[in-house]
């Protein structure tokens, strides 16, 4: 069963990775860097600030920092436990991939996918009551995660599991945030 899933994961990786062309390589290299998303984060912070009190915004930022730290550490724990090499370092498929970028670090599961999904789900759950189209922020983790497949740094399964883990962590941190917000509501108005 596991061998079958890994086989399908490799086949899908080859298919998705080979959809790329040299023309788009610079675009996907740009997309995959967290720093390049800074304008998006600033806009997201601004639209949040417009709807919540400053004290609540600070609480949100504290929870986001804790969420990113937790998600990153859980991702690393799994990566070092599973020890799956990245597609660009997987001998039986290396020759069939467009290796745009490579790394010696481990692959399963994707930290980019887990962190971006966790933070965007957390923010969506906060912003959905204020903005009708808050779900638009999910475009970010989808594009961000696909960049990892395009560059040959993660298998689709790494992305899928990373997004599932990120969804779980984002939801749990949101529930904890709501508990704190309600428990200390007089302080965050």
């Amino acid at each position: 069963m596991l061998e079958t899933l890994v086989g399908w994961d490799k086949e899908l990786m080859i298919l998705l990775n080979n959809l790329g062309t040299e023309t788009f390589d610079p675009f996907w290299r740009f997309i995959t860097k967290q720093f390049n998303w800074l304008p998006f984060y600033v806009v997201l912070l601004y639209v949040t600030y417009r709807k919540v009190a400053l004290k609540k915004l600070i609480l949100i930022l504290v929870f986001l920092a804790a969420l990113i730290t937790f998600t990153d550490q859980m991702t690393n724990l799994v990566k070092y436990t599973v020890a799956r090499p990245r597609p660009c370092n997987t001998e039986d498929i290396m020759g069939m991939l467009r290796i745009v970028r490579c790394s010696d670090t481990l692959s399963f599961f994707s930290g980019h996918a887990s962190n971006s999904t966790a933070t965007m789900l957390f923010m969506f759950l906060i912003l959905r009551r204020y903005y009708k189209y808050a779900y638009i922020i999910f475009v970010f983790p989808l594009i961000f995660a696909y960049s990892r497949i395009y560059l040959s740094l993660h298998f689709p399964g790494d992305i899928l599991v990373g997004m599932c883990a990120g969804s779980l962590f984002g939801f749990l941190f949101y529930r904890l945030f709501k508990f704190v917000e309600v428990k200390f509501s007089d302080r965050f108005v």
Side-chain angles (χ1 to χ4, degrees):
M1 175 73 167
L2 183 59
E3 285 183 27
T4 303
L5 288 175
V6 169
W8 290 343
D9 201 20
K10 288 179 179 179
E11 289 176 26
L12 187 57
M13 174 66 198
I14 293 165
L15 174 74
L16 293 174
N17 172 262
N18 279 288
L19 293 175
T21 64
E22 286 184 29
T23 306
F24 291 107
D25 290 354
F27 170 77
W28 290 105
R29 279 191 196 107
F30 178 85
I31 290 295
T32 205
K33 293 180 182 169
Q34 294 97 329
F35 182 77
N36 294 334
W37 287 89
L38 190 58
F40 172 75
Y41 303 139
V42 169
V43 168
L44 189 57
L45 182 64
Y46 176 72
V47 299
T48 305
Y49 172 71
R50 287 183 44 123
K51 297 296 181 181
V52 301
L54 182 59
K55 288 180 181 180
K56 186 172 177 179
L57 180 63
I58 291 169
L59 182 65
I60 290 169
L61 291 173
V62 167
F63 267 84
L64 280 172
L67 173 59
I68 291 167
T69 301
F70 178 82
T71 303
D72 198 51
Q73 292 309 306
M74 290 303 293
T75 300
N76 287 334
L77 176 67
V78 173
K79 276 186 181 188
Y80 290 110
T81 302
V82 174
R84 183 182 196 187
R86 291 187 183 271
C88 60
N89 295 320
T90 303
E91 301 230 354
D92 60 330
I93 65 167
M94 285 169 53
M96 295 178 260
L97 295 176
R98 291 184 65 255
I99 298 176
V100 181
R101 201 168 141 216
C102 198
S103 172
D104 293 336
T105 58
L106 299 170
S107 185
F108 185 83
F109 53 87
S110 169
H112 280 69
S114 60
N115 272 306
S116 62
T117 303
T119 54
M120 290 306 106
L121 179 61
F122 180 81
M123 291 306 299
F124 167 76
L125 292 171
I126 291 169
L127 295 174
R128 67 185 170 169
R129 67 185 286 207
Y130 305 113
Y131 295 102
K132 182 179 179 180
Y133 300 107
Y135 62 85
I136 283 277
I137 65 175
F138 289 116
V139 170
F140 163 62
L142 292 172
I143 292 171
F144 198 46
Y146 177 73
S147 74
R148 309 306 285 172
I149 295 169
Y150 184 97
L151 297 171
S152 72
L153 292 168
H154 282 292
F155 289 96
D158 302 340
I159 300 299
L160 181 62
V161 172
M163 291 181 127
C164 290
S167 295
L168 174 65
F169 301 153
F171 178 75
L172 292 175
F173 268 75
Y174 173 74
R175 297 296 299 180
L176 183 59
F177 168 79
K178 290 306 285 181
F179 172 78
V180 170
E181 182 185 34
V182 169
K183 181 95 171 151
F184 303 102
S185 61
D186 57 326
R187 297 181 189 173
F188 299 111
V189 179

